Amino acid sequence: LSAVVFLGGLLTTSEEQVLAEAMELIIEMAAKIRPLPIFLLTQYTQAISDVMVVDSAPQNAGLWGMARTARLEYPELVIQCLDLHAHSSLLDTVISQCLECSWCLEEEEEVVFQVHESGPPKALVPRLVRGQMEQQQAAQLALAIRGNAVHAHMSPQRKHPVKPNELEIRVHAAAIDASLAIGPLHPTFVVAGVVVDAGQNLQQFCVGQLVSAMMQGALGTYTTVSAESGLPIPQEY
């Protein structure tokens, strides 16, 4: 016996059951003195085109994520994920052909095999590519009329150096009161986020710390508040 092949990912049964059985296999193999390589097989769980396939079990894609975590927890194990893009009637033959693809199984942890009725399976492996995402600039909510949200719009935000007793927060979430819609004053926000800059006189706050604060003014990507209004957020939250 040279390896263990897990076929549960090819079934359309409960994904929770499939994950539990795969995790049990991984734990059992990790306890062995000489663990065998594990191959987790799935079918049409990794997208390589925009064509929808009826004959598939995409709910078992979680096996790939679990395998990535298991490799970190059990670095001594060899855990490889193979996704088969083949009709169910061809699986018996395809599995044998894919497991004989020694070059990719020795060098790759994740492989997609694209199979046609004629010809050998085509092995596809993940590679990093340059993304097309454009960089987003910091922005803030601007009100054309104070207290009136009808003409609110986003405008570029300019950052300023913090004063000795101030915090600059990268906003993750914010709550706003009704004064934005009915009152003439600047709305009051309760914000939560991460400290990206702290004044030199502050000892209780540091960059990277989660905090919340109450402040008045524009809602933006960043906000600057006085240290007195900032409260550390416990790590368990």
Side-chain angles (χ1 to χ4, degrees):
L1 187 64
S2 58
V4 177
V5 180
F6 181 77
L7 302 177
L10 302 176
L11 306 176
T12 57
T13 54
S14 167
E15 57 266 33
E16 290 84 359
Q17 179 181 348
V18 171
L19 288 172
E21 292 176 353
M23 194 69 244
E24 183 178 349
L25 170 63
I26 291 172
I27 294 175
E28 179 182 350
M29 198 58 59
K32 295 183 177 296
I33 298 177
R34 295 181 178 178
L36 297 174
I38 300 174
F39 295 100
L40 303 179
L41 270 58
T42 56
Q43 184 182 19
Y44 289 113
T45 65
Q46 307 303 309
I48 58 175
S49 70
D50 57 0
V51 178
M52 295 295 292
V53 179
V54 177
D55 185 26
S56 62
Q59 70 272 15
N60 293 327
L63 281 172
W64 285 54
M66 187 193 70
R68 292 166 185 167
T69 302
R71 293 187 194 105
L72 297 176
E73 296 185 2
Y74 304 105
E76 72 279 7
L77 293 183
V78 175
I79 305 174
Q80 293 173 292
C81 296
L82 311 181
D83 194 47
L84 308 180
H85 284 230
H87 191 274
S88 296
S89 61
L90 303 175
L91 285 182
D92 289 343
T93 303
V94 168
I95 291 174
S96 299
Q97 292 177 332
C98 293
L99 294 178
E100 292 174 357
C101 184
S102 59
W103 71 266
C104 58
L105 298 184
E106 291 175 358
E107 301 177 8
E108 303 292 338
E109 294 177 338
E110 299 176 345
V111 184
V112 173
F113 286 99
Q114 190 176 25
V115 181
H116 303 283
E117 293 186 2
S118 59
K122 180 180 180 181
L124 305 175
V125 296
R127 289 292 182 267
L128 294 177
V129 296
R130 183 176 297 277
Q132 302 300 318
M133 183 179 297
E134 296 182 0
Q135 183 179 0
Q136 295 184 350
Q137 302 294 327
Q140 64 183 4
L141 180 66
L143 302 178
I145 303 175
R146 185 178 299 177
N148 190 338
V150 175
H151 301 291
H153 64 278
M154 300 303 293
S155 63
Q157 183 181 34
R158 301 178 66 180
K159 297 178 62 178
H160 303 282
V162 297
K163 297 178 180 178
N165 293 310
E166 288 183 338
L167 294 173
E168 185 179 37
I169 301 172
R170 174 65 162 88
V171 178
H172 287 182
I176 186 172
D177 70 4
S179 66
L180 176 62
I182 63 176
L185 303 176
H186 284 296
T188 299
F189 296 95
V190 177
V191 300
V194 176
V195 176
V196 294
D197 198 2
Q200 59 185 3
N201 293 344
L202 302 180
Q203 302 296 328
Q204 68 273 38
F205 296 102
C206 61
V207 174
Q209 184 178 10
L210 287 173
V211 296
S212 64
M214 182 174 290
M215 47 91 63
Q216 284 188 331
L219 174 64
T221 306
Y222 299 93
T223 188
T224 301
V225 301
S226 64
E228 291 77 8
S229 64
L231 291 173
I233 297 178
Q235 292 185 354
E236 57 268 21
Y237 276 75

